[in-house]
Amino acid sequence: MTYCLGVLLPAGLVLASDSRTNAGIDHIATVRKLALFENPGKAVITVLSAGNLATTQAVVTIIKQNLNTADVGRDLFTMGSMFEVAQTVGTVLREVLARDGDAVRPFGDPGASFLVGGQILGEPPRLFQIYTAGNFVEAAARNPFLQIGETKYGKPILDRAVRDELSLTAVAKLALLSFDATIRSNLSVGPPIDMLCYETDSFSIGNLSKYTEDDPYLAELRSTYGAGLLDVVRRLPEPPLANRDGPMRD
């Protein structure tokens, strides 16, 4: 299992993934699940992947091999919109599953899903979630974040706190807390956490970070958030317990 997150804001994009992969309880490894494609001054495209590792690696490798080939419909750098990029990733995914799916199914699920985010010159940043079928949905103001993989543990804090007016750094903190909650609750998700904070119209991947298990900032974030959460709980009004007004009756 894995956890990948993308958040779309007027200020830009926050995209993050964990690095744990496993093929059973005795085979755990780390694999980078965030792929970056940069065409300086023209495009920054990020592909985050979850699901069958052989499938996701095949899709990303095919995409890389088609870069700078001028092959229209295959080379991401020839495309005029992120919508076209999402279509292409979905098409490559279908091709890989058509080729390998039947051979893999007796041994496990060959399926995969992707988050595709970035910006191409001439349009604002955009974010898409691509399903195993190769179809996709796009993030918008009413649903500004998308998740794939082990999503349920990290979702509540995002539902409560993500807002359009937040800065990239504020959302980056929320993203890391979302990952921390997931890592605490599910052993199949683990660091390092790769995270790109992409600023609108920058066409730069300079704000790319990796957070390891013993990263001092991540440790400080965890401890400060935990202490703050306990302080908030202490200051919340007491619940109206039944014994305040006598025993509860039907």
Side-chain angles (χ1 to χ4, degrees):
M1 188 57 76
T2 190
Y3 178 37
C4 298
L5 169 66
V7 186
L8 176 68
L9 303 161
L13 290 161
V14 175
L15 301 147
S17 68
D18 84 312
S19 300
R20 178 164 292 181
T21 184
N22 66 286
I25 59 174
D26 58 349
H27 183 193
I28 296 174
T30 58
V31 174
R32 185 171 179 178
K33 304 167 189 175
L34 185 154
L36 278 170
F37 309 104
E38 182 185 22
N39 191 2
K42 297 180 179 179
V44 168
I45 299 166
T46 309
V47 178
L48 295 83
S49 56
N52 184 284
L53 184 61
T55 300
T56 59
Q57 288 189 340
V59 170
V60 172
T61 298
I62 291 169
I63 290 169
K64 287 180 178 177
Q65 289 177 339
N66 287 324
L67 289 177
N68 296 309
T69 61
D71 185 349
V72 177
R74 305 289 286 183
D75 182 353
L76 299 189
F77 291 159
T78 67
M79 296 176 186
S81 72
M82 286 299 300
F83 182 86
E84 293 178 61
V85 171
Q87 283 184 311
T88 300
V89 175
T91 297
V92 174
L93 174 57
R94 290 192 192 106
E95 292 171 355
V96 171
L97 290 176
R99 184 192 67 197
D100 299 336
D102 288 344
V104 174
R105 284 187 189 94
F107 307 97
D109 183 2
S113 56
F114 297 87
L115 295 180
V116 177
Q119 184 177 18
I120 291 176
L121 187 65
E123 66 172 16
R126 299 173 75 178
L127 174 66
F128 298 85
Q129 179 177 342
I130 301 175
Y131 301 104
T132 292
N135 58 334
F136 53 85
V137 296
E138 183 173 4
R142 289 191 177 185
N143 59 320
F145 68 88
L146 299 173
Q147 302 166 284
I148 55 175
E150 187 55 77
T151 61
K152 57 184 177 290
Y153 301 108
K155 189 173 186 292
I157 190 170
L158 302 171
D159 283 333
R160 286 182 175 275
V162 170
R163 299 290 185 274
D164 274 357
E165 63 269 19
L166 293 180
S167 66
L168 289 178
T169 52
V171 173
K173 288 186 279 188
L174 291 172
L176 289 172
L177 290 172
S178 177
F179 272 82
D180 182 58
T182 306
I183 290 168
R184 284 174 176 266
S185 300
N186 192 308
L187 292 176
S188 69
V189 177
I193 300 167
D194 294 304
M195 184 165 69
L196 174 67
C197 293
Y198 173 77
E199 184 179 354
T200 298
D201 295 332
S202 68
F203 296 100
S204 169
I205 60 172
N207 290 328
L208 177 65
S209 304
K210 181 172 80 171
Y211 298 90
T212 60
E213 177 64 35
D214 57 355
D215 185 277
Y217 173 75
L218 200 57
E220 181 182 6
L221 190 74
R222 287 169 174 160
S223 62
T224 303
Y225 178 71
L229 189 60
L230 288 174
D231 183 57
V232 168
V233 170
R234 294 188 188 101
R235 292 187 283 111
L236 288 173
E238 297 295 328
L241 299 177
N243 61 10
R244 288 188 173 187
D245 300 312
M248 183 179 294
R249 294 181 174 85
D250 292 336

